[in-house]
Amino acid sequence: MMKRVYIICLFLAGILGIGMYLYSYQYFVQEENETQSITQSSITIPETIEAVAQTEERITRDTLYYMETYRLDQNTTIRETKRMPAEVIGCSRKQFVSYLEKLMEDALLEEQKDGFLSIELIDFSKEAVVVRKTYKEPARECEFYLDVQMGRVIVRNSLDDSLYAYTEIKFETLPENLKREILRGYPIENLEVLYEFLESYSS
């Protein structure tokens, strides 16, 4: 009787051992598959980023370069074809914008005197790049201005308000709108404009 019980116990113990072995093996295989899946995912992410970077449009040696000059005060635009600067070959849109910002900071003194206001990117592709420079004629300082003294129009220097010349023009004979302008200090750009005014209103 005892021998039979002993055999049964050994049999059950064997079945239990086999079951634990199978469970452990299955758990190990599952863990290994999950680890491989995570590793593969971490590898594919940089590849995806690299693929996106490669599709980004960049300037090549064959990219056309158009420079527009826009005159704000005249509302005119002139487009010219320029040679692509060597330092921007291979640049992306963002890099090229940075290049233009540097040009804006280093704007030549001659351009500033010419009324240079800004530089901007209008269009960007590997086929063509369009850049626009905007200018506005700088305001000129007037040399003289008209004033009134003893009922007569006089000319003063704009720099120090000193008297430049008396005229024979009677203030009361002038049109009302011109009177108002003179009372505010009618600006005269230079001697040529001054002579034209005097010829027009001298009797």
Side-chain angles (χ1 to χ4, degrees), residues 55-103:
T55 59
E56 185 177 11
E57 289 193 305
R58 293 179 179 273
I59 296 173
T60 69
R61 295 186 182 277
D62 298 325
T63 304
L64 298 175
Y65 185 30
Y66 297 109
M67 176 66 72
E68 291 185 350
T69 301
Y70 175 57
R71 292 283 177 180
L72 187 62
D73 48 329
Q74 302 171 10
N75 194 26
T76 59
T77 302
I78 299 175
R79 174 179 285 196
E80 300 175 288
T81 303
K82 297 287 186 178
R83 184 175 182 179
M84 186 68 71
E87 59 266 34
V88 302
I89 302 296
C91 283
S92 64
R93 183 187 185 95
K94 184 177 180 181
Q95 291 169 331
F96 189 71
V97 169
S98 298
Y99 167 79
L100 294 181
E101 290 174 350
K102 183 67 167 54
L103 286 184

Side-chain angles (χ1 to χ4, degrees), residues 145-156 163 165-167 169-174 178-186 197:
Y145 71 92
L146 302 182
D147 198 0
V148 182
Q149 188 176 84
M150 304 293 292
R152 304 275 181 174
V153 175
I154 62 172
V155 183
R156 293 187 181 275
L163 179 65
Y166 290 101
T167 75
I169 302 174
K170 294 181 180 181
F171 182 73
E172 62 182 14
T173 62
L174 298 175
L178 184 55
K179 286 182 182 179
R180 290 192 292 269
E181 292 289 334
I182 292 176
L183 291 176
R184 286 197 292 262
Y186 187 85
F197 177 85

Side-chain angles (χ1 to χ4, degrees), residues 12 19 23 28 35 50 57 62 68 70 72 76 91 118 126 128 130-131 147 155 157 160 162 176-177 181 188-189 200:
L12 291 175
Y23 176 78
F28 174 77
T35 302
E50 184 178 355
E57 289 193 305
D62 298 325
E68 291 185 350
Y70 175 57
L72 187 62
T76 59
C91 283
S118 64
K126 66 180 181 179
V130 182
V131 174
D147 198 0
V155 183
N157 288 300
D160 57 6
S162 62
E176 290 300 322
N177 61 336
E181 292 289 334
I188 301 292
E189 292 182 5
S200 300

Side-chain angles (χ1 to χ4, degrees), residues 139-147 154-165 185-195:
R140 296 180 181 177
E141 294 185 3
C142 296
E143 293 185 28
F144 311 99
Y145 71 92
L146 302 182
D147 198 0
I154 62 172
V155 183
R156 293 187 181 275
N157 288 300
S158 296
L159 185 61
D160 57 6
D161 291 334
S162 62
L163 179 65
Y164 178 78
Y186 187 85
I188 301 292
E189 292 182 5
N190 49 47
L191 281 174
E192 182 180 352
V193 177
L194 176 61
Y195 291 150

